[in-house]
Amino acid sequence: MTDPATDPTAEQATDPVAEAAGPGGEPKLQAGAPVDDEPAAQAEPARPARPTVMLLGAGELSRELVLAFQRLGAEVVAVDRYADAPAYPVADRSVVATMSDADALTAVIEREAPQYVVAESTAVAVDALIAVAERGSVEVFPTPRAIRLSYDREGLRRLAADELGLPTAPFWFAGSVEELTAVAQHAGFPLVVRPVTGPAGSGQSVLLREDDVEPAWHRAIAAGHFAQNRVMAETVVEIDYEVTMLTVRTTGPAGPTIRFCEPIGHHHRNGEVLELWQPQQMSPVALDAAKSIAARIVNSLGGRGVYGVELLVRDDEVYFSDVRVRPQDTGLVTLRSQRLSHFELHARAILGLAVDTIMISPAAAEVHYGGSEAAWPGGTGGAELTAVLREALSVPESDVRLFGGPDDETDAPHRLGVALATAPDATAARRQVRQVSTALRRLW
């Protein structure tokens, strides 16, 4: 072998640093090279990419959820089927699309390429979300199965009662007026009849006699966004109160985790006001049963986020009634009662962040509803509105949320506003929130 050090014909390896230096190690300039007396500009550090969240449904509650995601650094695309949806002004981008059309929904998701798709409406093409989730590039919340069951009362009730063995009120399903009549004759009265799909309370009737059967049937099948020919009938169970267990499901290195908010009591007054309070006092036995039922149904549905498990309570007995797979009106009291509202809990859980369900004060809320005839007052320069708010907010520890209009183009009742109050206990908070509501009623 030749030795490069002694063989003049051998190629010498060159040191690029030495090659670029002159005598004494000083840099050697190339002919024609520009001389730059200024130091080289340092490149700006790359900013972390913002996660993109697509909300399917841009109503009033979605508006609050948009803000919750944005406060955690997410970019939010709001999608709904109509223009001027309440969440559009605060979202980073907005899209008008027919969400129940699988092709249209798939096209929007592919164009916007979000990391998370969050269904805030039942009027979505679940098959499209299933296909998107199976590809693995997008996480869908709630799970497509949970979305489907959230508006399929038959499937949900059979899951709860038949598969999970949860206690429920006696129930039946009917596919015609004749079948519903037979159910009523067998079960007796009173009987609650609901459509198998559609929003909570929509198309619902209470049957007191056989003459109520046919009107209830037609009312139920006409409700909701989808054609249907099947209803659920349920025995009216004597209860002490209804309660919502807000249940937060997250996942971490150790696997799925379930956390519970303090139970929320609620009831409707005249169909126009939903009254809420937290905490609802429960016996230790009933509270343990409520948490067990909520955990079992939520773990069966899977995914991450806030679930509102609706329960009926009599003494220590607890019956499963329904589950909401997204923030709903019964959680609005958490805007003042908890350190993190149910909107913030939902956003944190979906993004895979830590959550806590600490209640910082007992509180109450009243949600007001109205039809398309409900309008803002016509006071000059908002004088009437200011006077109403001055009176409402003079109540100790009070707050209000006013909504600008209907969530969609239908004539269904929509949220007008929410009165809120905190106090040393839930009973005092309920008294105070009624004062706030009395003032707000002057607006409509």
Side-chain angles (χ1 to χ4, degrees):
M1 295 179 61
T2 58
D3 183 353
T6 57
D7 185 0
T9 64
E11 277 190 30
Q12 298 289 326
T14 58
D15 182 348
V17 176
E19 185 79 5
E26 295 179 358
K28 182 171 64 178
L29 296 177
Q30 300 292 327
V35 178
D36 189 358
D37 294 332
E38 297 294 329
Q42 292 185 355
E44 291 187 6
R47 295 182 178 180
R50 297 174 64 191
T52 301
V53 178
M54 176 177 285
L55 293 189
L56 303 180
E60 288 286 1
L61 299 189
S62 293
R63 186 180 189 278
E64 296 293 330
L65 193 55
V66 168
L67 297 173
F69 276 115
Q70 288 174 332
R71 292 186 188 109
L72 296 171
E75 182 179 30
V76 183
V77 183
V79 183
D80 216 315
R81 65 184 187 281
Y82 64 106
D84 302 322
Y88 285 172
V90 296
D92 296 279
R93 296 193 301 281
S94 60
V95 179
V96 177
T98 305
M99 300 182 295
S100 57
D101 183 318
D103 292 337
L105 181 57
T106 301
V108 169
I109 294 173
E110 290 179 348
R111 182 175 71 246
E112 297 293 338
Q115 291 169 260
Y116 307 96
V117 172
V118 182
E120 288 299 298
S121 168
T122 58
V124 296
V126 179
D127 291 343
L129 296 183
I130 292 173
V132 166
E134 286 177 348
R135 288 202 291 268
S137 58
V138 178
E139 291 192 81
V140 176
F141 300 102
T143 62
R145 176 172 175 265
I147 297 170
R148 191 188 296 280
L149 288 173
S150 70
Y151 64 85
D152 174 12
R153 288 188 177 92
E154 183 167 2
L156 180 62
R157 186 56 64 91
R158 295 197 186 284
L159 167 66
D162 300 342
E163 295 184 35
L164 300 178
L166 303 182
T168 68
F171 63 91
W172 300 264
F173 295 95
S176 67
V177 174
E178 292 73 23
E179 288 184 13
L180 184 57
T181 301
V183 167
Q185 291 172 345
H186 167 75
F189 300 98
L191 201 63
V192 178
V193 172
R194 303 181 178 92
V196 293
T197 66
S202 177
Q204 179 174 306
S205 302
V206 178
L207 279 59
L208 301 176
R209 64 185 74 86
E210 196 163 323
D211 291 344
D212 296 334
V213 171
E214 186 167 354
W217 165 264
H218 291 294
R219 176 182 172 83
I221 64 171
H225 301 295
F226 305 100
Q228 51 192 316
N229 58 0
R230 199 160 173 80
V231 302
M232 183 177 83
E234 186 177 44
T235 296
V236 177
V237 178
E238 291 187 15
I239 61 171
D240 298 323
Y241 53 88
E242 297 178 64
V243 66
T244 297
M245 290 298 300
L246 287 183
T247 307
V248 188
R249 190 176 194 268
T250 60
T251 54
T257 301
I258 292 285
R259 293 179 182 270
F260 302 98
C261 299
E262 291 294 323
I264 298 171
H266 56 84
H267 68 75
H268 278 89
R269 287 207 314 267
N270 303 321
E272 297 177 352
V273 176
L274 173 63
E275 186 181 5
L276 313 163
W277 58 93
Q278 187 186 30
Q280 165 65 54
Q281 294 301 316
M282 303 179 69
S283 71
V285 173
L287 182 57
D288 286 346
K291 289 181 177 180
S292 174
I293 291 171
R296 289 161 68 188
I297 191 71
V298 167
N299 276 328
S300 178
L301 295 175
R304 301 194 299 270
V306 168
Y307 299 78
V309 182
E310 306 292 340
L311 304 167
L312 310 175
V313 184
R314 182 182 182 184
D315 295 328
D316 291 338
E317 296 179 352
V318 182
Y319 301 92
F320 171 80
S321 176
D322 205 348
V323 61
R324 320 286 188 218
V325 297
R326 58 186 63 86
Q328 294 285 343
D329 290 6
T330 49
L332 287 171
V333 70
T334 64
L335 289 169
R336 279 293 168 264
S337 62
Q338 297 190 169
R339 194 183 80 81
L340 298 174
S341 73
H342 69 323
F343 300 110
E344 294 167 311
L345 290 172
H346 200 51
R348 285 194 180 202
I350 286 171
L351 294 176
L353 305 175
V355 302
D356 72 61
T357 55
I358 297 171
M359 190 186 75
I360 57 176
S361 174
E366 290 193 356
V367 188
H368 292 256
Y369 301 90
S372 57
E373 75 284 351
W376 285 98
T380 303
E384 187 176 348
L385 173 60
T386 301
V388 168
L389 290 177
R390 186 179 294 118
E391 179 183 347
L393 296 176
S394 67
V395 178
E397 300 185 48
S398 64
D399 198 2
V400 300
R401 295 286 191 277
L402 299 179
F403 298 137
D407 278 1
D408 54 31
E409 297 172 315
T410 68
D411 293 328
H414 59 273
R415 301 175 197 88
L416 301 173
V418 181
L420 295 148
T422 56
D425 58 72
T427 301
R430 292 174 69 181
R431 283 198 303 267
Q432 289 175 203
V433 86
R434 288 193 188 103
Q435 298 177 49
V436 182
S437 282
T438 299
L440 288 186
R441 242 178 239 113
R442 289 167 44 199
L443 294 176
W444 305 295

